[in-house]
Amino acid sequence: MKRLILAVFFLTTLILPASAADKANAVLVHPGEVVYARFEAKGKKIKLVSFSKEKDEGAQVVFSLQLDAKKPVQVLKVENKFNRDLTYKVEMRSLTRKQQFPVPVTPVVGGKVAFENFPLQAEELAAYDFQLEK
């Protein structure tokens, strides 16, 4: 029994830091919000430095999640202020149902804006794994 408890404790100590690291480098966007994100670029990889709901002119990427006036969907608008293409991943979350799953998104061309549609059940979007392409 002691071995089982030690094994479970050891596994949880390995898993918890990994999941905490993923959340530290994710931008969380909720319906009706505009989020400004600042990054530190190191070659192809970029590291999230901070994100805020307060307007930030120095932010390199701006996320907003708004309801579409014509269709029953939410639209994620991603404005890329880098001069290179931005790739990232998104995890759609339903907090009331305690469900989450990754969804495919298209890269954002440097200096442009991209739009992605999400169902109304998406209560939170987590954008992560940011990279700059050519």
Side-chain angles (χ1 to χ4, degrees):
M1 186 68 175
K2 287 183 182 179
R3 288 184 184 176
L4 178 64
I5 293 172
L6 285 173
V8 170
F9 177 73
F10 178 71
L11 288 174
T12 56
T13 58
L14 292 176
I15 293 170
L16 288 176
S19 59
D22 289 342
K23 292 179 184 176
N25 202 25
V27 174
L28 301 177
V29 184
H30 299 93
E33 290 183 345
V34 178
V35 179
Y36 301 87
R38 285 180 173 256
F39 293 90
E40 181 180 285
K42 291 182 181 176
K44 239 181 138 172
K45 286 274 189 182
I46 56 177
K47 182 180 176 186
L48 180 64
V49 176
S50 67
F51 67 93
S52 172
K53 295 177 196 173
E54 296 178 21
K55 189 166 183 167
D56 182 2
E57 295 296 328
Q60 293 101 336
V61 181
V62 180
F63 297 89
S64 68
L65 185 61
Q66 306 295 331
L67 289 173
D68 190 335
K70 298 177 184 175
K71 301 179 205 170
V73 295
Q74 298 181 79
V75 178
L76 175 67
K77 177 183 169 185
V78 182
E79 182 181 351
N80 178 12
K81 296 183 181 180
F82 286 106
N83 58 0
R84 295 169 39 192
D85 296 355
L86 174 71
T87 59
Y88 62 101
K89 295 178 183 175
V90 170
E91 183 177 83
M92 185 172 62
R93 299 175 180 171
S94 173
L95 303 175
T96 55
R97 295 183 180 172
K98 297 181 181 171
Q99 295 177 336
Q100 55 191 17
F101 55 93
V103 290
V105 291
T106 54
V108 185
V109 176
K112 301 288 182 181
V113 177
F115 299 92
E116 299 285 343
N117 292 335
F118 290 93
L120 296 175
Q121 292 80 10
E123 298 171 23
E124 179 179 77
L125 298 177
Y128 61 98
D129 197 18
F130 299 98
Q131 292 185 11
L132 292 175
E133 302 294 328
K134 286 186 178 182

